[in-house]
């Protein structure tokens, strides 16, 4: 969930404009590598679809649609039966996905990929019981403007509201749960959503829940206002750094092990590449 990067689907490119809002995924991009943020948000460079990310999108769609059925009918067979139709819908909405299996003449890779999606859907039933859940919201787009003027936005997979009014925010992850030392960065996205809900509704969510379908783990966290105030301060500092980089055009690459997965090595100075001409006006600093 969150704003996706440019996808190379042939849509008419929008003119470059300064960033106007922040989502959890784009905040994570900037923290990982400011130049990656620039390539995705300002240059809107196309990126090739990946099997893992597309499988995640497909599984999310199935889990969202399953709740259309009456509670008693939310079964494993029903969920698995949704997969082919949701895959067809996804391909129609994003024609570039045909690239994923273009060289798969006998359909073996596609069959294996769909089987992996099935396993993830099946595992969800061991972690939560959809017959006992009635989500208040699914795939909920949220947006809030902070007092500072910073606009936060994102898409929450599921919002549950207890009869007592307590709110639980749930996010599905199709990968494996992080090691404990990395749990804090995993929770950043959830605290971001909690902050938006707090600012919108005046209610601090009672629980944040990450459901890891890849490993069968559920990570929960109960936030308090001080937590969310810390996240707000962090986001304001992040936004100030983004604003400065936008005005000066100074977007530094930050090399990490993740560089090997990046689609933009041809444009990255770390790999001998040259970024595209900067499409926004620069604000001179100094004499």
């Amino acid at each position: 969930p969150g704003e996706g990067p440019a996808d190379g689907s042939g849509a008419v490119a929008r003119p470059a404009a300064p960033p106007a809002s922040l989502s959890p995924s784009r905040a994570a991009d900037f923290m990982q590598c400011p130049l990656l943020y620039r390539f995705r948000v300002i240059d809107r460079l196309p990126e090739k679809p990946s099997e893992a990310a597309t499988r995640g999108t497909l599984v999310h769609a199935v889990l969202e649609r399953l709740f259309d059925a009456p509670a008693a009918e939310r079964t494993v067979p029903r969920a698995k039966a949704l997969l082919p139709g949701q895959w067809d819908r996804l391909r129609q909405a994003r024609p570039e996905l045909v690239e994923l299996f273009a060289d798969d003449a006998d359909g073996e890779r596609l069959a294996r990929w769909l089987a992996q999606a099935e396993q993830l859907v099946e595992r969800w039933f061991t972690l939560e019981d959809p017959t006992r859940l009635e989500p208040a919201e699914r795939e909920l787009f949220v947006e809030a403007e902070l007092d500072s003027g910073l606009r936060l936005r994102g898409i929450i997979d599921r919002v549950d509201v207890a009869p007592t009014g307590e709110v639980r925010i749930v996010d599905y992850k199709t990968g494996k749960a992080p090691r404990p030392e990395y749990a804090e960065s995993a929770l950043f996205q959830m605290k971001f959503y909690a902050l938006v809900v707090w600012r919108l509704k005046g209610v601090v969510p009672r629980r944040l829940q990450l459901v890891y379908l890849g490993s069968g783990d559920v990570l929960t966290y109960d936030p308090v206002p001080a937590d969310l105030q810390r996240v707000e301060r962090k986001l304001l500092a992040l936004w100030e750094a983004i604003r400065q980089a936008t005005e000066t055009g100074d977007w530094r690459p930050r090399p990490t092990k993740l560089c090997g997965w990046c689609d933009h090595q041809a444009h990255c100075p770390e790999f001998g590449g040259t970024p595209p001409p900067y499409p926004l006006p620069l604000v001179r600093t100094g004499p």
Side-chain angles (χ1 to χ4, degrees):
E3 299 160 62
D7 61 24
S9 59
V12 178
R14 292 169 293 170
S21 64
L22 202 54
S23 71
S25 47
R26 296 295 78 88
D29 285 345
F30 188 84
M31 290 187 286
Q32 179 187 322
C33 173
L35 188 59
L36 173 65
Y37 177 96
R38 181 202 143 168
F39 287 156
R40 284 181 164 167
V41 176
I42 293 175
D43 300 295
R44 299 195 179 101
L45 297 181
E47 297 186 354
K48 292 192 290 290
S50 79
E51 287 190 20
T54 306
R55 184 168 49 237
T57 304
L58 174 60
V59 169
H60 275 75
V62 167
L63 300 189
E64 182 195 359
R65 290 275 65 86
L66 184 67
F67 285 103
D68 292 342
E73 294 173 29
R74 296 171 197 158
T75 62
V76 172
R78 173 79 176 238
K80 286 160 80 167
L82 288 169
L83 275 162
Q86 291 302 317
W87 173 227
D88 286 343
R89 278 197 185 84
L90 199 51
R91 279 183 304 184
Q92 285 164 12
R94 296 175 52 193
E96 76 278 7
L97 294 180
V98 298
E99 293 173 35
L100 278 176
F101 301 104
D103 59 352
D104 183 32
D106 56 9
E108 260 187 51
R109 263 186 43 241
L110 174 60
R112 192 162 58 243
W113 182 83
L114 286 168
Q116 289 165 342
E118 268 196 7
Q119 287 170 353
L120 294 170
V121 169
E122 277 190 75
R123 187 170 286 136
W124 178 58
F125 283 82
T126 69
L127 304 172
E128 296 193 287
D129 179 358
T131 65
R132 300 179 62 185
L133 294 169
E134 286 302 338
E137 302 284 355
R138 293 173 269 154
E139 292 291 313
L140 175 67
F141 175 76
V142 289
E143 187 171 47
E145 191 169 306
L146 304 182
D147 293 340
S148 63
L150 170 57
R151 187 174 293 276
L152 304 179
R153 62 197 304 178
I155 298 174
I156 300 174
D157 288 345
R158 199 178 86 221
V159 179
D160 300 331
V161 179
T164 52
E166 292 178 321
V167 172
R168 176 172 63 182
I169 294 176
V170 181
D171 198 71
Y172 310 121
K173 298 290 184 193
T174 45
K176 294 180 179 177
R179 295 205 300 269
E181 60 267 34
Y182 297 113
E184 188 54 43
S185 60
L187 279 169
F188 169 75
Q189 171 191 7
M190 301 302 282
K191 290 180 182 179
F192 183 112
Y193 291 145
L195 171 62
V196 174
V197 169
W198 185 31
R199 291 293 178 239
L200 275 177
K201 312 271 191 192
V203 175
V204 173
R206 172 73 179 80
R207 173 152 292 180
L208 311 178
Q209 182 166 306
L210 282 158
V211 181
Y212 286 94
L213 305 177
S215 55
D217 295 294
V218 176
L219 180 63
T220 60
Y221 185 81
D222 297 345
V224 295
D227 279 339
L228 305 187
Q229 286 164 344
R230 275 193 295 274
V231 171
E232 186 166 358
R233 288 195 295 272
K234 180 175 184 171
L235 291 171
L236 290 174
L238 201 61
W239 189 245
E240 176 58 22
I242 289 170
R243 189 190 63 76
Q244 288 184 5
T246 303
E247 291 185 352
T248 61
D250 185 10
W251 301 91
R252 305 282 172 92
R254 186 175 293 143
T256 66
K257 283 186 268 191
L258 295 170
C259 290
W261 300 90
C262 184
D263 273 350
H264 306 303
Q265 292 181 10
H267 295 291
C268 180
E270 290 292 321
F271 292 86
T274 304
Y278 192 56
L280 296 175
L282 298 178
V283 175
R284 291 195 178 281
T285 55

